[in-house]
Amino acid sequence: ENNGQAIPGHAPSSSVPARTPTSTPGHEAEAAAAVTADTTYVESILKKKLANSDLPLNDDESIELLSHCVDQGNSNAEKIKGKHAIIVVGNTGAGKSTFLNYLLGCEMERKDGDNFEEIVVVSDSSLLR
């Protein structure tokens, strides 16, 4: 559950909008409106979650957000069909961007981080201006 917090402009989770319908001749405007409503609903879920990462989503919100992510992934996969692609996945702060910057030839330097840990960052001399 979402601790009783409603998403402005949306009905309770029991009436979550259906997945985006397929457009049929003469119904393009309805399909476009459904896509807009679906996108607005997903954006409202994202804003709510980003505002408070500890706030749990209800089942319908989780399914809607996951479905949107799958749709986005499928759409992006279509764009790179027949091409080579690399996906770098990891937790926040794991070093994905640092790794990619290193692969792209940026100069790296070690710095002292929080709690006496050593971190690696892109050297200022290597940044694009």
Side-chain angles (χ1 to χ4, degrees):
E1 286 300 308
N2 62 357
N3 297 334
Q5 294 188 3
I7 298 173
H10 292 283
S13 62
S14 60
S15 60
V16 170
R19 299 295 305 143
T20 304
T22 304
S23 179
T24 55
H27 294 95
E28 290 85 4
E30 291 175 22
V35 168
T36 301
D38 185 50
T39 301
T40 302
Y41 180 64
V42 169
E43 287 173 355
S44 66
I45 297 170
L46 284 171
K47 285 179 186 175
K48 179 177 82 166
K49 190 65 174 170
L50 289 172
N52 180 2
S53 62
D54 294 329
L55 185 67
L57 299 177
N58 65 41
D59 291 344
D60 290 329
E61 291 168 331
S62 294
I63 290 168
E64 190 67 26
L65 195 53
L66 182 58
S67 295
H68 177 76
C69 289
V70 168
D71 291 345
Q72 288 294 111
N74 287 334
S75 174
N76 288 332
E78 282 297 316
K79 293 175 188 174
I80 62 166
K81 206 174 223 177
K83 300 176 184 176
H84 296 286
I86 297 173
I87 299 173
V88 179
V89 180
N91 290 333
T92 301
K96 299 175 297 291
S97 296
T98 302
F99 171 68
L100 292 172
N101 283 319
Y102 174 78
L103 286 179
L104 292 171
C106 292
E107 291 180 35
M108 310 305 282
E109 61 184 49
R110 294 182 187 276
K111 289 196 172 191
D112 291 332
D114 297 335
N115 301 323
F116 304 105
E117 33 179 69
E118 199 172 275
I119 60 173
V120 177
V121 297
V122 176
S123 170
D124 287 342
S125 64
S126 190
L127 296 175
L128 296 175
R129 301 202 191 277

